[in-house]
Amino acid sequence: MRKKEIRQACEKDESKIIQSWRKAYPLIFSYKYPNRWRWLYKENPFWESKNGKLPIWIAIVDDNVVAWNCAMHVNLEISSRVYPAAYSVSTYTLPEFRKQGLGFLTQQKNQDSNTIFLSVDMSEGNRRIKKKLGGVEGKPFHIYFKITGKLDHEKLFKTLLAVCRKYLGNIWLVKASYIRLGFLKQSVGYLMTLLLKNRQKQKKLSHHTHYVFKSTRKFGAEVDAFWNLCRQNYSFSVCRDSQYLNWKYVLQPDLQYLKYLVYDNDKICGILVYRICKSPESPIGVICECLSISANDGNLIRAMLNFAETDMIKSGAQMYKCGASSRELSNFLEQHGFQKIRTHVPVIYIDSKLRDINYNEVLKGNWLMSIGDHDMDQFFKHEQPIFPDIVKILLNKIPGSK
């Protein structure tokens, strides 16, 4: 009989975990280890290692690591109070060990070790597990998309062929597409680009240009003062103080972020963080933080969106992404020509011991979520919409959780 064990990983387990990660993530392994591993699991300022432990729960079968569920620790602000919390990240079970409940058990153990355990972006299988474990749904988080250039017709056509294979099999048309019908690639790309652009209903709204955008290498005390002023606008958010922002956008390996403090009459009124994906990633601009001191300040939000878009166009971006959990930011994005392409509904577990949290009241308030949350911005994480999703978007059937 095979020996099975579910437990928290220790530093001495690192080599065994990495051996399995090479199998699980062959194409992106170098972006997960060693730099990202060190940043996320060893040098996270919100995780205090105890006795050589790692924020990772593993399933071991015959001395081999076959499943894992990891945690990204952060400080979470709920109704103006700060709580230690953990995002569920990097959940995986090796294919030959699936349907044995190992994914469920590793997540259960990880959740039991945290008073608040949450996810924003997850598979439907993981969603079911988290809800079985007592997780409840939060406010929707929407991903918005805008295209000013063109879709990559090669990548788009591959996703179209995948649909053909799924429903039609390898019929002659699919086979011939590689040889005789190559012109279809560009035709499909141009058509989908045109249809998406036609849906972008950008309003010609004026915005003040007196804001001053100052590039910054790191975040300091002025950001802490800024966060203290705008935190009261939200009932739920990661604590966006300088410690978090520096760890997330200055120290994160492999990704280069452009960071700006926005001033109005020498007073900081906004924070803008974005990056432009470079080859081998697709040329997509990712706006990770677009935070204003007032959630209703349309002039400032539009100025930040315009600044980021102008800079990203100069740097070769063909399309852009931004996330929004508030109705105000969603409205401003839509006015700026962005269209909703996906909806994520978070799942959150809160230990019953935290009786001071009235979750129903929290749901009534404004939530602050961004693409920077829950490790949603990683290398190779962002791609243009695939063909089936574009069809759904054009039919107003936005992919994602209901």
Side-chain angles (χ1 to χ4, degrees), residues 127-139:
R127 175 177 295 278
R128 289 191 291 271
I129 288 175
K130 294 176 189 304
K131 294 181 80 170
K132 282 184 180 179
L133 291 171
V136 294
E137 291 189 340
K139 283 201 166 183

Side-chain angles (χ1 to χ4, degrees), residues 226 260-263 268-272 291-293 300 304:
F226 168 82
Y260 290 90
L261 304 182
V262 188
Y263 288 86
I268 181 172
C269 60
I271 294 176
L272 177 64
L291 183 60
S292 63
I293 203 163
L300 174 57
M304 288 196 286

